[in-house]
Amino acid sequence: MPPPPPPPGHGFRPAQRLLDVANAVRRDPEIPRADLARLLAAHGETPADLAPGAFSDADADALRGAARRMTAVLTEPDPDRAAAALNDVFAECGARPRLSRHGDHPWHLHVDRGDDAGWADWFLASGALALAQILTEYGQPAWGECAAPDCTVLYLGTGPGSARRYCSPACASRTRVAAHRRRRAEQAADSTGQAGRAGQTEPTGA
């Protein structure tokens, strides 16, 4: 499972916010508005911004759609296709960098149409900007879908060390154990087959 979102007050982490919302929508495509609101609150959105009048059921539905769209980028391993997809999002959102400060938030960078942009536009623009910054820093998508056969969790691989392929150490360990057991079974089957062939005698002519 992905790590829990940071507690309120720890600053903006748009890439992690994108990942957490995308994973939540992946787990439950119809995740309720209230659950999305709690997740956004954990990433620093204020109670006033998340009240039903400001974050409606229609807003939640649009946000779910935006999360599904960004999931297509988060599962794209090719840097050229990922860059093209992000440019499409920027073009759609009318991206133009500007500093914004609203509510009790400090100054921060926005690339959506304005402070009155809808939740979906905000999510698409902020998520695309975060991924674009990662792509330019690493030269390739430092994100992806867990390589474990039975896991579809999305992850960010922006930490130190070699390129990441799994959402968690548990998935990586479980996959290695399964591969090791499969190799041992194949070796045992091969040894049994060789022993059987060695025990066969060549037919003799009459």
Side-chain angles (χ1 to χ4, degrees):
M1 296 295 291
H10 281 225
F12 291 108
R13 300 175 63 198
Q16 189 62 52
R17 179 183 61 208
L18 166 64
L19 206 72
D20 290 341
V21 173
N23 273 321
V25 173
R26 250 192 162 190
R27 287 192 298 271
D28 180 5
E30 300 301 324
I31 180 172
R33 187 206 69 84
D35 290 347
L36 283 174
R38 280 191 288 271
L39 183 53
L40 292 171
H43 279 280
E45 298 305 312
T46 65
D49 289 336
L50 295 169
F55 180 55
S56 65
D57 288 335
D59 291 325
D61 188 53
L63 184 60
R64 287 190 289 265
R68 286 189 286 270
R69 177 168 180 185
M70 291 305 293
T71 295
V73 184
L74 288 165
T75 53
E76 176 53 71
D78 181 80
D80 294 339
R81 288 195 292 268
L86 291 173
N87 279 337
D88 286 345
V89 174
F90 287 138
E92 177 184 314
C93 295
R96 190 171 66 184
R98 61 188 174 83
L99 288 169
S100 175
R101 183 173 65 182
H102 43 89
D104 296 327
H105 296 309
W107 285 105
H108 56 283
L109 186 64
H110 270 226
V111 291
D112 49 25
R113 293 186 179 90
D115 287 342
D116 58 348
W119 283 92
D121 275 3
W122 161 79
F123 184 77
L124 287 169
S126 62
L129 178 62
L131 295 188
Q133 290 170 327
I134 292 172
L135 182 59
T136 55
E137 179 178 353
Y138 289 85
Q140 61 183 0
W143 58 74
E145 182 180 67
C146 184
D150 57 348
C151 184
T152 60
V153 170
L154 304 167
Y155 65 85
L156 287 174
T158 54
S162 57
R164 185 173 171 181
R165 298 180 58 233
Y166 302 96
C167 71
S168 66
C171 271
S173 176
R174 184 161 41 83
T175 303
R176 284 195 298 267
V177 169
H180 176 68
R181 289 174 176 170
R182 185 168 57 251
R183 285 193 300 270
R184 289 186 60 183
E186 290 170 352
Q187 291 168 356
D190 186 56
S191 298
T192 300
Q194 290 178 358
R197 289 191 294 273
Q200 294 176 354
T201 57
E202 292 291 333
T204 57

